[in-house]
Amino acid sequence: MKNWYSTGALVLLAVLFLALTMLTGVLFKGARLDLTENRLYTLSPGTINLIESIEEPITLDFYFSEDASADFPMVRNFARRVQELLEEMAAASDGQLLINRIDPAPFSEEEDDAARYGLEGVPTGVGGDSLYLGIVGTNLLDGLEVMPFVAPSREAFLEYDLARMIYSLSQPDLPKVGLISGLPISGGFDMQTRQPREPWAIYTQITEQFDIENIEPTASELLEDIDVLVLIHPKDVSEALMAEIDAFVQDGGRLLAFVDPYAETDPGSNPADPMAGLSAERDSGLDALFEAWGVEYDRSQFVADRGLALQVALQQGRPPVYHPGILGVTRDFMDSDDVVTGELETINLASVGYFRLSEDSPLSLQPLILSSPQSGPLDSERLRFLADPSELMAEVAPGDESLIIAARLSGPAPSAFAEDGEDGGNEINVLLVADADLLADRYWVQRQRFFGQTLLNPFANNGDFVINAIDNLIGNADLISVRSRATSNRPFQLVEGLRREAEDSLRATEQRLEAELAETEERLTELQQARGDTDLSVLTPEQEAEIDRFVEQRLDIRRQLRQVRRDLDRDIEALGTRIKVINIALMPVLITFFALWMAWRRRREQTAKRGEA
C-alpha cells in the first residue's frame, strides 16, 4: 500500500508540473529574465523614449514564411526573437505602434505584397519555396521603410534597426546634412578596373538616416537649410568655401570635421597612377579656422602609440607585427560621460593627428578620444615608405600625458574671415577628429554575401561614432543610446596584454641580437684590416675566437627567444585554463554550497524543534 501511495504521489507531481508549465506559458508569454551583461535583451530607455514620442500611428508588417522555415530551427528561433521584440515595442507605444504578422505562402496575395515592397525571398531548396524574413513599416503620411531581410547575424543590432525604422517613420522630414569630402566615400568610378566602386559603408549609413547634400570642395558657397556640415579630409577646399564654413559656424551651424596628417586612404590626384600616389600629399587641415580659434594642430606629425597599437600582417607566412600608427582605441581612452562615445567599445584609427588648445584661446576643448600614455608624435613622412612598422616601436618617445585625437570645441570663437569692424565671437559647436581613415571600411566593417545579399558586419564602432556625432549635433540622443548598447564585442584584453608584453620582450631581445651581430661583424672587419695581407680566406686565431664567441652568443640568445615564446604560450594557456575552470565549475560549486547550507539550516531547525519538544 505504501508503494501505491508513493507512485501516486509521483504521478500527481508530474501532472502538477505539466499543468504549471502550461499555465506559466500562458500567463507569462513573452516574459523573460535578462541576466546578460549590459542587458542586451531588455528594451532600452532610448527605444522607449522614441516609441513614446510617436504622434501618429505606425504599422510594422512582419513577413515570415512558416512552412518554408520548417527545416531551419535557428531561423525560426530568430523569427520568434523578432516577434517578441516587436510585441514589447507595441506594448510600450500606447497603441501607436501596430504589429501585423504575415505569412507569405507561395503563390498567395501576401507573397505578391512582399515582392511589391521589395522584400528578399531566399530560396530554401525545399520544393522551390522562398523564405521571407522582412519588415515593412508605414505611417499615415505614405512614409515607407523596408528591411528586405532581417539577417540573424545582425541580432545584436536588431533593436537599433527597429528603433531606427520607427524613428524614420515618426519624422516626416529627414535632417539635412551637407557633406564635403576629399575622399571617395560615395564610390565613384575605378579607372583601373573600369568598374563603378561601391560607396563606403559609412556613406551608406549616413544616406539612410539623413538627407545628404554633397558639396564639391571647389564650390564657392554652401547650400541653404543645412542642419549639420560634415567636412572630411578638406585638402582642396577653396578659400571662398572656407569663408562660407566660417560664417556657417558663426551663425550657429554645427560642424563635424575630420582632418588627417597622413590619410592612408587618400588615392591622390591621379588614382590610375600608383607611383604618383606614393608621392602624393596626404595631409589636410583647417589652418585658417584653427588659427582663429586657437587650435594647435601639426600636419607634419602623427601619433605613434605603443599601448593601443594593432597587429598588422606584412606578408603571408610571416607573423603579424604591432603597428604604432594603426590604433585600436578602447573605451578606457574615450569619454564615458559623453553621449557620442559613452557606450562605445572600440574605434580603429590610422595615422592620426592630435589637437591642443593655445593658452590665449577663448574656446574649450573637451576630449572625446585620447591616445594612451605610451604615445608620442613622430614625423608623418616616416609612414610614406615604411616597410616594417615594428621599427617605429623603438622610436616612440612617450610624453607626460595622453594626446587628444578627437574633441568637442565650444565657446565664443573669433571669425577667421571677419569683415572690417566685425570679429565674430559667437558661440560655436564643433566636433574635431584628427583622422579621416577611420571612415574607410577596412578599419571597422566587413562585407559578407548572404543568400545573394551584401551584409555589413562591424568589428569596431567607427560607424556608430560618426552617426552618434551627427545625431548629437542635430540633437537626437535617444537613438544614440539604442545604437550604443547594441555592441557586444568584448576583446580578451588580459590575453592581449600578455601577448603585447611578451612581444615587447621579444623585440628587445631581437634588437640585442642584431646589435651584437653588428658589433661582431665590425670586430671581424677590424681584424681583417689589421692583418695587412691579401689572403682573406684564411682566418687568424683571433678571428676564429671572435666567430666562436658570436656563435655561442647567438645560440644562447636563440635559447632565450624560445624560452620567452614558451613562457608566453604557457601564460596564455594557464589563463585559458583558469577561465574554463571558472566557467565550468563556478555555478555547480555555488549550487552545492547552497544545497549544503540549506541542509545544515534544516537540520538545525529540526534539532531546535526536538529540543523544544
Side-chain angles (χ1 to χ4, degrees):
M1 183 62 71
K2 187 175 182 179
N3 291 335
W4 279 102
Y5 283 137
S6 299
T7 304
L10 291 175
V11 172
L12 181 60
L13 286 174
V15 171
L16 289 175
F17 175 77
L18 292 175
L20 183 62
T21 302
M22 296 175 62
L23 187 62
T24 303
V26 174
L27 294 179
F28 299 100
K29 182 180 180 180
R32 63 181 186 273
L33 181 62
D34 188 356
L35 298 178
T36 59
E37 186 178 6
N38 297 330
R39 302 179 66 80
L40 293 177
Y41 296 97
T42 299
L43 213 58
S44 71
T47 301
I48 295 175
N49 291 338
L50 284 175
I51 293 173
E52 290 178 345
S53 65
I54 298 174
E55 297 180 354
E56 300 290 341
I58 292 174
T59 301
L60 300 183
D61 295 330
F62 177 36
Y63 286 80
F64 180 62
S65 305
E66 293 287 349
D67 294 338
S69 63
D71 296 332
F72 302 96
M74 291 184 62
V75 175
R76 294 179 69 88
N77 289 336
F78 177 68
R80 190 178 303 112
R81 161 83 173 124
V82 176
Q83 179 71 33
E84 290 177 352
L85 186 56
L86 289 172
E87 290 175 352
E88 288 187 20
M89 289 180 165
S93 69
D94 194 22
Q96 296 290 69
L97 187 62
L98 308 176
I99 308 297
N100 297 319
R101 177 156 176 161
I102 300 173
D103 181 5
F107 307 107
S108 64
E109 294 183 359
E110 288 78 8
E111 187 180 38
D112 294 340
D113 290 339
R116 181 165 57 87
Y117 285 122
L119 299 187
E120 299 285 346
V122 178
T124 60
V126 182
D129 294 344
S130 295
L131 171 63
Y132 289 91
L133 179 55
I135 300 175
V136 177
T138 55
N139 59 19
L140 297 181
L141 301 176
D142 296 331
L144 175 66
E145 290 286 330
V146 178
M147 296 173 67
F149 191 88
V150 189
S153 61
R154 284 188 61 84
E155 181 176 1
F157 304 94
L158 178 61
E159 183 179 346
Y160 167 72
D161 289 340
L162 293 174
R164 186 179 60 79
M165 174 180 276
I166 294 170
Y167 173 74
S168 299
L169 291 169
S170 63
Q171 302 293 322
D173 298 320
L174 291 176
K176 184 176 290 186
V177 175
L179 178 62
I180 304 173
S181 178
L183 296 178
I185 69 169
S186 59
F189 190 78
D190 192 328
M191 298 299 293
Q192 294 182 338
T193 62
R194 315 297 297 178
Q195 298 288 332
R197 286 192 299 253
E198 282 188 302
W200 294 7
I202 188 62
Y203 183 80
T204 303
Q205 288 193 354
I206 293 175
T207 52
E208 287 177 350
Q209 301 185 40
F210 309 103
D211 182 8
I212 294 293
E213 294 286 353
N214 288 293
I215 305 170
E216 291 296 326
T218 54
S220 59
E221 60 182 12
L222 294 175
L223 302 176
E224 296 182 352
D225 302 330
I226 292 176
D227 296 301
V228 173
L229 179 62
V230 178
L231 191 55
I232 299 173
H233 195 44
K235 191 171 64 173
D236 300 318
V237 175
S238 65
E239 184 173 346
L241 185 58
M242 195 63 75
E244 285 279 303
I245 295 172
D246 180 58
F248 171 78
V249 175
Q250 288 288 330
D251 290 342
R254 313 294 177 83
L255 172 64
L256 171 60
F258 298 87
V259 296
D260 203 309
Y262 189 86
E264 309 268 359
T265 50
D266 186 347
S269 58
N270 186 7
D273 185 359
M275 296 306 296
L278 292 176
S279 58
E281 297 296 331
R282 297 176 180 273
D283 60 291
S284 62
L286 299 171
D287 296 346
L289 299 183
F290 285 170
E291 182 178 358
W293 297 342
V295 175
E296 297 177 353
Y297 163 75
D298 192 339
R299 289 170 176 249
S300 65
Q301 291 188 326
F302 76 100
V303 177
D305 195 331
R306 297 179 55 178
L308 299 176
L310 292 178
Q311 286 185 320
V312 297
L314 300 179
Q315 294 180 3
Q316 189 174 6
R318 291 185 56 185
V321 299
Y322 283 102
H323 192 322
I326 309 295
L327 310 183
V329 180
T330 60
R331 61 183 313 163
D332 294 337
F333 300 97
M334 291 186 271
D335 186 354
S336 60
D337 296 328
D338 195 289
V339 293
V340 174
T341 54
E343 298 297 329
L344 303 184
E345 296 289 343
T346 304
I347 296 178
N348 293 337
L349 309 163
S351 57
V352 306
Y354 62 97
F355 302 110
R356 285 197 179 104
L357 207 58
S358 63
E359 294 182 356
D360 57 349
S361 173
L363 301 178
S364 171
L365 192 67
Q366 177 192 345
L368 293 178
I369 301 175
L370 294 168
S371 67
S372 82
Q374 302 180 52
S375 63
L378 290 178
D379 191 339
S380 300
E381 287 301 312
R382 288 286 287 117
L383 298 169
R384 190 173 296 278
F385 301 106
L386 186 63
D388 184 358
S390 63
E391 296 175 357
L392 299 176
M393 298 294 277
E395 301 177 21
V396 180
D400 298 330
E401 57 185 10
S402 298
L403 301 174
I404 300 175
I405 298 173
R408 287 184 182 276
L409 185 69
S410 59
S415 172
F417 299 89
E419 301 289 342
D420 293 340
E422 298 178 358
D423 59 356
N426 297 325
E427 292 282 339
I428 67 171
N429 195 336
V430 176
L431 283 181
L432 296 177
V433 185
D435 183 40
D437 295 313
L438 70 89
L439 304 170
D441 292 1
R442 67 191 192 206
Y443 294 108
W444 68 280
V445 66
Q446 289 180 330
R447 294 176 184 266
Q448 294 182 346
R449 302 293 298 177
F450 184 80
F451 287 104
Q453 298 184 58
T454 299
L455 301 178
L456 302 177
N457 291 313
F459 53 84
N461 297 119
N462 297 28
D464 297 336
F465 171 70
V466 176
I467 301 299
N468 284 358
I470 298 176
D471 269 344
N472 181 251
L473 291 175
I474 289 174
N476 190 327
D478 290 331
L479 202 55
I480 292 175
S481 65
V482 182
R483 179 184 307 105
S484 301
R485 69 188 296 270
T487 301
S488 58
N489 181 30
R490 298 183 183 85
F492 292 97
Q493 296 180 353
L494 185 55
V495 175
E496 284 297 319
L498 284 173
R499 194 182 300 279
R500 197 187 306 276
E501 183 179 349
E503 288 286 344
D504 290 343
S505 177
L506 276 174
R507 189 173 301 104
T509 306
E510 288 172 347
Q511 290 174 349
R512 181 160 57 89
L513 173 62
E514 292 174 356
E516 292 186 3
L517 176 62
E519 182 183 355
T520 302
E521 290 176 345
E522 183 180 357
R523 178 59 180 161
L524 285 173
T525 303
E526 292 175 355
L527 290 173
Q528 290 283 9
Q529 293 175 348
R531 290 179 57 187
D533 52 36
T534 56
D535 188 4
L536 301 181
S537 62
V538 179
L539 298 177
T540 65
E542 291 82 0
Q543 289 174 322
E544 291 181 351
E546 189 72 12
I547 292 176
D548 291 341
R549 187 184 68 83
F550 167 69
V551 170
E552 288 296 327
Q553 285 183 347
R554 186 175 58 181
L555 291 175
D556 180 61
I557 291 174
R558 287 184 180 277
R559 282 194 293 270
Q560 294 179 36
L561 284 172
R562 288 195 296 271
Q563 185 62 40
V564 171
R565 289 191 179 278
R566 281 197 292 269
D567 291 344
L568 168 64
D569 295 338
R570 187 177 61 250
D571 291 345
I572 292 177
E573 185 177 353
L575 176 63
T577 303
R578 289 198 297 272
I579 293 174
K580 288 179 181 177
V581 169
I582 292 174
N583 285 338
I584 296 173
L586 180 60
M587 188 54 68
V589 168
L590 291 177
I591 293 176
T592 302
F593 275 110
F594 180 74
L596 291 174
W597 178 76
M598 290 293 294
W600 171 80
R601 183 178 178 184
R602 180 177 298 176
R603 178 169 295 182
R604 185 179 178 184
E605 291 176 353
Q606 292 175 350
T607 303
K609 290 181 179 178
R610 291 194 194 100
E612 292 176 356

